[in-house]
Amino acid sequence: MNKVNFQKELDKIIEGVDTARPPRLLLHSCCAPCSSYVLEYLSDYFDITVYYFNPNISPKSEFIKRFEEEKRLIFEMKVKNEIKLVEGTYNYEYFLDIAKGYEDEPEGGERCFRCYRMRLERAAELAKAEGFDYFCTTLSISPLKNSQKINEIGYEVAERYGVKWLPSDFKKREGFKRSIELSKEHNLYRQNFCGCVYSKAAEENKNEK
């Protein structure tokens, strides 16, 4: 896929949205801080269900802590359209299986791409089964995540499952900056690693240098 401005692609879709009858969006979320700006932004245009599916997160206590923060944020946020929340199954072995052979890959490499795909495939499967108009993910808000790759995988998975992918690059227009502001406003727990044991080790090694 050639390099695309996915924010402009999202703008085109939003321009055609009937806000009186907002389309249903299944939004995969990795954590409350990353979803904060995305929910603030998209809730004016979509009927959103947040899908918290992150079997990559370790240990399970971390998974639960992030889910509880997601739930609290959704409860506290004042938005136009009500936001619903679905908790995905936690199965860390599932993540270890897809990461097998890629344990030594650097952060942002092939292991991460496989992790994106794991979560987006499950989101697409649910979106198709429940009749959502679109599915998307909050992952592109992070400056450390490859939005080109996220969208490339999103389109591939969407075609396979027969559901529409909502393109995004939420870090654009100071989205990441706004997520930090909202995190402070809601006193959200902000983790210092992506979620898996490999990202945690990478962060710890970086801090030791």
Side-chain angles (χ1 to χ4, degrees), residues 20-31:
R21 300 180 64 185
R24 295 179 67 219
L25 169 66
L26 184 70
L27 178 67
H28 165 263
S29 173
C30 54
C31 62

Side-chain angles (χ1 to χ4, degrees), residues 7-47:
Q7 177 62 56
K8 288 186 177 179
E9 294 300 305
L10 176 57
D11 288 341
K12 293 175 187 176
I13 292 171
I14 285 176
E15 285 173 9
V17 165
D18 179 0
T19 54
R21 300 180 64 185
R24 295 179 67 219
L25 169 66
L26 184 70
L27 178 67
H28 165 263
S29 173
C30 54
C31 62
C34 286
S35 68
S36 59
Y37 163 74
V38 180
L39 293 174
E40 180 184 66
Y41 173 32
L42 294 184
S43 59
D44 283 348
Y45 309 104
F46 296 93
D47 175 3

Side-chain angles (χ1 to χ4, degrees), residues 104-115:
D104 296 328
E105 283 282 309
E107 278 296 287
E110 186 60 33
R111 185 187 63 247
C112 294
F113 299 162
R114 291 171 69 85
C115 188

Side-chain angles (χ1 to χ4, degrees), residues 72-83:
R72 181 171 67 83
L73 174 67
I74 291 172
F75 177 77
E76 291 180 1
M77 286 193 81
K78 302 295 187 289
V79 293
K80 179 179 177 182
N81 297 308
E82 180 188 0
I83 299 167

Side-chain angles (χ1 to χ4, degrees), residues 118-140:
M118 171 188 70
R119 289 179 281 177
L120 291 181
E121 283 189 345
R122 187 60 63 87
E125 184 179 17
L126 181 59
K128 178 65 174 180
E130 299 294 330
F132 283 85
D133 297 296
Y134 294 94
F135 77 105
C136 187
T137 181
T138 63
L139 289 170
S140 70

